[in-house]
Amino acid sequence: MSKITCIVLAAGQGTRMRSRRPKVLFDLMGKPLIVRLMKSLLDGPPMSFVVVVGHEAETVQEALKEAFPRKKFTYALQNKQKGTGHAVATARTRVPRSSSTVVVVNGDIPLLTSGSMRKLTERHKREGAALTLATTHLDGHAGYGRVLRKSSGTVMGIREERDCSPREFEIRELNAGLYCFSRRFLDANVARLASRNDQNEFYLTDLVEMASMSTGLPVADVEIPGTEVKGVNDRKELTELEEILLDRIRGRIMAAGVTMRMPGSIWIDETVEVGADATIGPRVVLSGKTVIGKGCTIGTGCVLTDTRVEDGAVLEPYCVTEEAVVRARAIVGPFARLRPGSDVGREAQVGNFVELKKTVLGEGSKANHLSYLGDGVIGRNVNVGAGTIFCNYDGFNKHNTVLEDDVFIGSDSQMVAPVTVGKGSYVASGSTITGDVPPDSLALARARQVVKKGRASMLRQLLKSKSEPGEPKKKRRRRRRRRKSAKTS
Ligand code: UD1
Ligand code: MG
């Protein structure tokens, strides 16, 4: 059994979020706040965990079970949320006997890193402290407890903002919401907390003053970057945390040799990987399991979800892709859409306003303009002309189109699936292909052209006389109506 137990406070409703959903379950870039925090804690020093739940307790427990199916957390139920001190008092009996150290962490600081947690427990051990407090400095300090120090510099207490005097209010050193206690000190004092404050709550923070006054053991402190311990108390703070997290992800990716243009405008999920020498343009969104290879270019405004882009491929601006593969040195876009199951071959090209769905485009093949290619298998060196449509759906079922290697599809053609065009064949422009075309053939499926010389001017005369310009509109309409009724009677 581990010697450190960590009590995670997650019972509060988070009134300032103005939601029925418990605050710790709010989503931060794809993961609930509490899941993010637990992940960092699990990566930190070895500890056992007691999670205090209360508001929507079962939902919180379920979320943790789903995220960490193999981990066993102990839960303590705080039926009424009477403050952070009360929450710790509720959890205390669940702390194993063998634990001589108890860490307490607020459940609403999801960006805490395992490194800072280690720093806290190591300092606590080195100082042999009754309590080690994590402090921080932040630009905005609204809502945070202020750290009070003696003239000697040692910490002597925490004043919650709403209980601050005007002078205390100005203090910039803040309580981060993360503490390390000696088990003995915690056991002896947590039940002594009172609720004589503005909120009539039992404040865990009052233990700091008690430790500074009553024990022979020191009160230690450790400063932690504000970006790690910024709490989420309302929706604005949630977006601020999103920005901090994105900045961390972008920083890691740039450090790995990736160029980003206007990095502040780029969204990258932490699950995304980008190879060295890739360039990411402004306002790009890379999400899910997207992997970008070395030396790729992802143009302005592209949105990629679960997409693999292999080395040297180029996505011109404004492409939207999902569950797709773009192989080495292929060129896609601008304005292309790759739907699930699209596979653009090596050095292949997909141009503007082309949509692929469940379609493999072979090596070196091109579909450069205005096409819909759904449920297709396209071989190598195939040219798909502008405006080609794979008619894959009959209202009930989807059917496949196969274009074998070296096929040439003339512009504005339709492939009425199921249909196969054999190797090396040509399909004439404007054809509607309804049957298979054998290899090395020319398929024409359109009406033969008829030309009538001199007819243009005759036609123009005829049309002109019918339109009778100059006649008032009303009169013309009346005459037309009269003619119509004469015909029908
Ligand atoms: C708390 C600190 C404040 C500190 C700030 C840092 C206290 C009294 N104040 O304020 O000094 O600067 O965190 O983020 O501790 N919770 C329970 N049960 C309860 C009440 C709260 O489990 O009865 C949980 C909440 O779910 C939350 C955490 O404790 O995860 C902190 O509560 P919150 O209300 O956010 O405290 P703050 O006002 O932010
Ligand atoms: Mg808070």
Side-chain angles (χ1 to χ4, degrees):
M1 183 68 72
S2 158
K3 291 220 170 99
I4 308 178
T5 292
C6 180
I7 299 177
V8 184
L9 307 185
Q13 179 181 358
T15 328
R16 287 165 278 179
M17 298 301 280
R18 304 204 180 281
S19 168
R20 289 170 65 104
R21 197 176 349 158
K23 175 170 72 177
V24 292
L25 290 189
F26 266 79
D27 180 282
L28 176 60
M29 289 193 73
K31 284 195 196 118
L33 302 179
I34 189 73
V35 170
R36 280 194 179 278
L37 174 65
M38 289 309 296
K39 189 157 183 336
S40 299
L41 297 176
L42 287 164
D43 289 344
M47 301 189 280
S48 58
F49 293 93
V50 179
V51 184
V52 185
V53 288
H55 178 71
E56 294 269 347
E58 274 173 25
T59 330
V60 176
Q61 278 175 251
E62 268 163 31
L64 287 174
K65 214 171 279 169
E66 196 189 319
F68 307 102
R70 292 206 199 124
K71 298 283 173 197
K72 266 206 147 185
F73 306 130
T74 303
Y75 292 95
L77 186 63
Q78 188 195 18
N79 279 319
K80 276 197 171 160
Q81 288 81 56
K82 297 189 213 163
T84 47
H86 180 255
V88 171
T90 310
R92 202 176 51 86
T93 53
R94 298 296 180 103
V95 175
R97 278 169 188 271
S98 57
S99 289
S100 53
T101 303
V102 179
V103 167
V104 177
V105 57
N106 286 358
D108 65 347
I109 52 169
L111 299 186
L112 181 71
T113 64
S114 51
S116 289
M117 181 53 101
R118 220 168 267 127
K119 210 165 118 187
L120 174 82
T121 51
E122 279 165 11
R123 171 72 56 88
H124 182 77
K125 194 171 171 198
R126 203 166 53 239
E127 302 278 335
L131 141 62
T132 304
L133 174 73
T135 71
T136 195
H137 286 83
L138 280 165
D139 287 346
H141 55 291
Y144 287 80
R146 310 299 201 266
V147 177
L148 310 177
R149 287 183 184 268
K150 294 179 188 161
S151 51
S152 63
T154 54
V155 171
M156 67 173 190
I158 291 170
R159 188 82 70 232
E160 286 310 299
E161 186 175 85
R162 49 212 303 169
D163 303 313
C164 276
S165 70
R167 251 185 77 208
E168 289 165 343
F169 188 88
E170 294 308 321
I171 294 172
R172 286 291 182 268
E173 192 181 17
L174 310 171
N175 170 24
L178 170 65
Y179 323 76
C180 192
F181 292 96
S182 116
R183 168 79 180 270
R184 196 174 297 166
F185 168 76
L186 190 69
D187 279 354
N189 292 285
V190 76
R192 294 176 51 220
L193 287 172
S195 58
R196 283 188 301 274
N197 51 54
D198 188 60
Q199 295 194 94
N200 291 321
E201 281 188 358
F202 295 90
Y203 288 168
L204 181 66
T205 45
D206 287 348
L207 284 175
V208 179
E209 192 176 331
M210 284 154 78
S212 117
M213 289 197 343
S214 64
T215 63
L217 298 177
V219 175
D221 61 277
V222 49
E223 167 132 15
I224 288 183
T227 47
E228 286 190 32
V229 289
K230 206 167 152 40
V232 179
N233 295 300
D234 55 34
R235 300 200 187 219
K236 184 166 175 287
E237 283 180 341
L238 190 63
T239 62
E240 286 166 6
L241 254 64
E242 201 170 82
E243 222 11 84
I244 293 171
L245 189 55
L246 277 168
D247 224 47
R248 254 189 219 173
I249 298 165
R250 292 185 292 232
R252 169 174 59 79
I253 287 176
M254 284 193 271
V258 173
T259 300
M260 288 189 191
R261 310 238 181 262
M262 290 174 64
S265 68
I266 297 171
W267 175 290
I268 307 187
D269 281 354
E270 59 205 321
T271 40
V272 169
E273 293 168 32
V274 187
D277 288 323
T279 301
I280 317 275
R283 292 184 289 283
V284 164
V285 176
L286 304 176
S287 54
K289 294 183 193 116
T290 295
V291 178
I292 311 284
K294 291 182 195 132
C296 292
T297 300
I298 311 296
T300 304
C302 285
V303 179
L304 278 63
T305 308
D306 300 331
T307 296
R308 193 171 89 234
V309 184
E310 292 182 356
D311 295 355
V314 174
L315 266 70
E316 302 283 7
Y318 303 107
C319 294
V320 178
T321 72
E322 190 184 349
E323 291 173 36
V325 179
V326 178
R327 297 193 185 267
R329 297 180 300 286
I331 302 173
V332 176
F335 300 103
R337 179 167 181 212
L338 305 180
R339 289 170 53 198
S342 302
D343 185 330
V344 180
R346 292 162 77 93
E347 294 176 21
Q349 292 179 21
V350 174
N352 36 216
F353 308 109
V354 173
E355 174 183 346
L356 263 68
K357 190 225 57 172
K358 256 196 197 168
T359 288
V360 177
L361 185 66
E363 186 173 336
S365 291
K366 294 173 186 167
N368 269 333
H369 324 271
L370 301 155
S371 292
Y372 170 63
L373 311 175
D375 300 297
V377 178
I378 301 170
R380 295 168 167 223
N381 302 316
V382 170
N383 189 88
V384 178
T388 298
I389 307 290
F390 287 3
C391 310
N392 59 331
Y393 185 48
D394 58 15
F396 297 95
N397 295 302
K398 303 278 170 69
H399 304 281
N400 291 343
T401 296
V402 178
L403 307 182
E404 292 179 355
D405 294 349
D406 306 313
V407 157
F408 184 100
I409 306 292
S411 297
D412 195 24
S413 295
Q414 300 99 52
M415 306 293 131
V416 182
V419 72
T420 296
V421 180
K423 187 172 175 353
S425 287
Y426 277 82
V427 167
S429 296
S431 290
T432 301
I433 301 296
T434 54
D436 290 350
V437 178
D440 197 27
S441 314
L442 167 64
L444 295 110
R446 62 188 188 209
R448 186 174 286 276
Q449 185 169 314
V450 178
V451 176
K452 298 188 176 175
K453 282 191 175 167
R455 269 295 184 82
S457 46
M458 283 168 64
L459 186 63
R460 214 171 286 123
Q461 272 302 317
L462 184 72
L463 295 172
K464 197 175 170 195
S465 67
K466 274 190 179 168
S467 79
E468 294 162 319
E471 196 178 4
K473 260 190 188 168
K474 250 188 190 167
K475 231 175 162 185
R476 230 189 297 158
R477 236 180 276 139
R478 220 178 297 141
R479 193 161 47 80
R480 231 182 277 145
R481 231 179 282 134
R482 240 183 284 133
R483 245 191 253 154
K484 215 172 165 186
S485 62
K487 253 189 221 167
T488 48
S489 61

